[in-house]
Amino acid sequence: MADQGVGSGRGRPPHKKYVALHMSARATKSAMVYYMRILLILCCALYLAAQVPNTKVVSGHRYPRIVIRNATVIEGNGTPAAGPKDIVLENGRIASVVALDPVAIARGTSRRPAGDVEIDATGKYVMPGLINAHAHIQEERGGIPQPLDYELKIWMACGITTIRDVGSETQKTLQLRKQSAEGEIIAPRIFVYPMFNRNPSPGNAEEARVRVRDFKAMGVDGIKILGIYRDVMEAMLDESHKLGLRVAHHAGVEETNAWDDIKFGTTSIEHWYGIPDAAIESGRQNFPSSYNYNNETDRFRYAGRLWREANPELLKKVFDGMVEAHVAWDPTLEIYEASRDLQRAQTQPWFRDYLHPTLAKYFEPNTANHGSYFIGWTSSDEAFWKENYRIEMAALREFERRGGLIGCGDDAGFIYQMYGFGLIREMELHQEAGFQPLIVIQHATANNAKILGQEGRLGRVRAGYLADLLVVNGNPLENLKVLYPTGVDDVRDGKLVHTGGVEWTIKDGIPYYAPGLLADVKEIVARARAGGK
């Protein structure tokens, strides 16, 4: 009877060689299955590795897609903070802001956006990058060189992602603007407003128009004016409007005041000269006969008595005119704070490690340096300035109540105010003036963006806007001091802890580790103090 096949169980037992072949085939098949399983596991691991983002973010590196996880978000438009949210940054813009469903997260069914890298913002606040509406790029103070990197890195460490430069070496600053926009340097976004009155200052309407056209040809973003005659101001503003250039007015004691800004269409009034002046019925402050405006001790001493001479009812009419003409107000409260409390100004805690010796020298009383006017400064001067602040702060509240646009700038590099730190102090003074922190942050973000004409691109945590954001260790709505890069002391669970500071300053979608930038600044200062450069 024929064999029925190997291992059939019928006929004679299979030959040994058939058993060996059968066993060999089974072993080969098992091995193949085993190796296929190993290969499949490896492929899955590689696939998953490709999907899981690298959570170690490299400072200064541009990533195509970043996800900020679990953030409590302050949008910048005055609305309350909300979270947790995931914020997706893609190619330098905010792609989406996704509110998280806590129930879905708890069940593990939440679908969350993926990115190349992640920044964990659990327990932290994310807000728009700060905009400094009144900044000066300075490579020297009093003719002594000062490293540009020093100023730029302090700004970034303090969370300032945009500045409006209102007076520097224009051609150099235009080049810096380009380098910043292309990510070649660590620096805020720069809007260039050169000084209109640089020598030779235009003396008539035609010269004013030529100066404006020259600036436009250079590619500036706007113009800053100060100490200007009325006919010159009218012509330059008319030409600026035709060419699409915005104008910031640093009003002094001059022929023009806020009524001229209203009539001719200035974008913003810087500081506050020109506003109370316009509400003095006689048309001019009551100066003593010995007053000399070019003597800065005289100038600032009597500036401290200006607000008390303004007629409150007439001032309201000035405000209504500013609101109707869309003239914003950038008060720079902090730059004059030394006038009301000189000792505080001279002993700010960050001076210890971060005040460059060039800047420290410039701050010393010296008639040759603008803003170094504290010669014979008295307690009576401080008392007048304290009253000045009280009246001005009430005026700011009234201006905004009537619909006015308030910005936020610092004018640092003068009068004991350091770059970056000065803007955060300005925010604290806005709170002292009576604005709640949500509105203060709006002043320094969305409002400033509007002053720049960038309200559709900057100043908000909103999809479609440029990815200029801060990840903050702490709640700035509870304590604006957490924005200082040096941090704050706090008591938590009965223990003293040091916390706060901006952790990540994100500009154009590029994350910069703020404590690292501040460490660089400390090293720059230490080298300079040791005699290096």
Side-chain angles (χ1 to χ4, degrees):
M1 190 172 180
D3 291 340
Q4 300 299 309
V6 177
S8 63
R10 286 181 289 178
R12 65 175 181 261
H15 194 277
K16 287 182 180 180
K17 69 178 181 179
Y18 291 109
V19 174
L21 284 170
H22 179 67
M23 294 297 292
S24 176
R26 286 178 61 186
T28 301
K29 183 178 179 181
S30 296
M32 287 179 66
V33 169
Y34 173 77
Y35 287 117
M36 286 295 290
R37 285 176 177 169
I38 292 295
L39 184 60
L40 182 62
I41 290 169
L42 286 171
C43 288
C44 287
L46 289 170
Y47 174 79
L48 289 171
Q51 304 308 304
V52 176
N54 168 23
T55 56
K56 185 174 175 59
V57 180
V58 177
S59 181
H61 185 77
R62 188 187 293 276
Y63 297 94
R65 187 175 167 94
I66 299 173
V67 178
I68 304 173
R69 299 279 189 212
N70 304 322
T72 301
V73 176
I74 303 169
E75 185 175 330
N77 63 345
T79 56
K85 296 183 179 182
D86 286 349
I87 306 166
V88 181
L89 313 181
E90 213 167 61
N91 300 319
R93 287 190 177 268
I94 301 172
S96 60
V97 182
V98 183
L100 304 180
D101 179 355
V103 175
I105 292 172
R107 291 176 177 171
T109 58
S110 174
R111 297 184 65 185
R112 303 178 70 176
D116 301 303
V117 293
E118 294 181 357
I119 293 175
D120 183 11
T122 304
K124 298 168 187 174
Y125 281 68
V126 172
M127 58 181 279
L130 298 175
I131 299 172
N132 186 347
H134 195 110
H136 293 278
I137 292 174
Q138 297 165 337
E139 291 185 86
E140 57 79 31
R141 297 278 70 212
I144 304 171
Q146 179 177 271
L148 184 58
D149 218 23
Y150 168 71
E151 182 177 11
L152 299 179
K153 286 186 174 179
I154 294 180
W155 276 330
M156 294 287 281
C158 289
I160 297 170
T161 55
T162 297
I163 65 161
R164 178 174 65 160
D165 173 80
V166 288
S168 61
E169 292 188 39
T170 306
Q171 291 292 357
K172 280 189 175 183
T173 303
L174 286 168
Q175 179 60 27
L176 279 173
R177 182 185 69 180
K178 180 176 182 291
Q179 291 175 296
S180 173
E182 294 176 357
E184 295 176 0
I185 58 173
I186 300 173
R189 186 184 315 280
I190 301 170
F191 289 83
V192 184
Y193 282 54
M195 287 190 182
F196 174 80
N197 306 74
R198 64 176 173 79
N199 287 326
S201 183
N204 57 51
E206 184 50 39
E207 289 176 1
R209 292 182 185 277
V210 170
R211 176 64 55 87
V212 173
R213 290 195 289 268
D214 287 347
F215 279 146
K216 179 67 176 181
M218 292 168 66
V220 305
D221 301 292
I223 300 173
K224 177 191 177 183
I225 56 174
L226 69 161
I228 193 167
Y229 290 115
R230 185 168 286 112
D231 60 322
V232 175
M233 181 179 180
E234 180 178 11
M236 75 82 52
L237 274 162
D238 179 64
E239 195 69 24
S240 297
H241 294 155
K242 290 176 180 176
L243 298 177
L245 293 175
R246 292 172 174 255
V247 177
H249 186 190
H250 171 155
V253 180
E254 56 195 65
E255 186 173 283
T256 59
N257 61 36
W259 289 119
D260 299 286
D261 293 298
I262 292 164
K263 182 178 179 180
F264 303 136
T266 301
T267 307
S268 66
I269 294 176
E270 304 301 299
H271 314 307
W272 49 272
Y273 264 138
I275 296 174
D277 313 51
I280 295 176
E281 292 173 341
S282 68
R284 183 61 67 205
Q285 185 180 355
N286 187 27
F287 297 114
S289 59
S290 60
Y291 178 86
N292 180 352
Y293 181 74
N294 285 351
N295 177 332
E296 288 202 344
T297 305
D298 266 5
R299 174 185 163 188
F300 286 100
R301 173 167 286 137
Y302 287 95
R305 307 177 189 203
L306 176 54
W307 277 102
R308 71 205 312 259
E309 296 189 38
N311 181 314
E313 293 307 311
L314 186 53
L315 188 62
K316 291 175 184 177
K317 294 180 180 179
V318 174
F319 290 159
D320 289 339
M322 290 173 65
V323 171
E324 186 177 353
H326 305 290
V327 178
W329 183 6
D330 176 19
T332 65
L333 294 166
E334 50 68 58
I335 198 60
Y336 304 108
E337 193 173 17
S339 299
R340 72 170 186 172
D341 191 345
L342 181 57
Q343 186 176 30
R344 180 203 175 278
Q346 292 174 328
T347 57
Q348 295 174 77
W350 31 85
F351 284 4
R352 184 185 65 186
D353 292 324
Y354 305 107
L355 178 59
H356 196 280
T358 294
L359 193 55
K361 182 70 177 174
Y362 187 87
F363 286 159
E364 294 174 2
N366 185 343
T367 56
N369 292 335
H370 171 52
S372 301
Y373 53 83
F374 294 97
I375 300 168
W377 204 252
T378 69
S379 60
S380 295
D381 293 322
E382 290 189 354
F384 275 112
W385 267 97
K386 285 169 183 170
E387 183 188 25
N388 220 38
Y389 268 81
R390 179 183 61 77
I391 300 170
E392 182 183 6
M393 286 175 170
L396 279 165
R397 293 194 304 273
E398 182 67 19
F399 177 64
E400 187 167 274
R401 190 185 71 79
R402 290 173 175 266
L405 182 67
I406 295 175
C408 199
D410 64 12
D411 199 19
F414 303 94
I415 318 179
Y416 297 103
Q417 289 296 348
M418 280 181 58
Y419 318 105
F421 291 90
L423 187 68
I424 299 166
R425 179 58 184 163
E426 176 72 6
M427 295 172 72
E428 288 188 271
L429 290 173
H430 282 224
Q431 185 178 15
E432 182 184 326
F435 300 104
Q436 60 173 274
L438 277 169
I439 302 302
V440 173
I441 289 172
Q442 183 179 346
H443 289 174
T445 56
N447 282 17
N448 276 350
K450 191 171 184 179
I451 290 170
L452 291 167
Q454 300 293 314
E455 61 268 37
R457 302 172 68 235
L458 293 173
R460 299 275 292 276
V461 184
R462 180 175 174 179
Y465 278 58
L466 295 178
D468 286 10
L469 302 171
L470 308 181
V471 180
V472 183
N473 286 312
N475 180 359
L477 301 177
E478 179 185 23
N479 185 4
L480 289 168
K481 293 181 188 297
V482 301
L483 294 171
Y484 285 116
T486 45
V488 293
D489 290 328
D490 197 4
V491 176
R492 296 185 181 176
D493 299 325
K495 296 180 180 178
L496 182 66
V497 295
H498 191 75
T499 185
V502 174
E503 182 175 317
W504 292 99
T505 297
I506 303 171
K507 178 232 164 189
D508 273 329
I510 303 174
Y512 297 92
Y513 186 58
L517 297 177
L518 193 65
D520 290 347
V521 172
K522 186 175 181 178
E523 185 179 343
I524 290 170
V525 171
R527 280 202 311 268
R529 289 175 178 175
K533 293 185 179 180

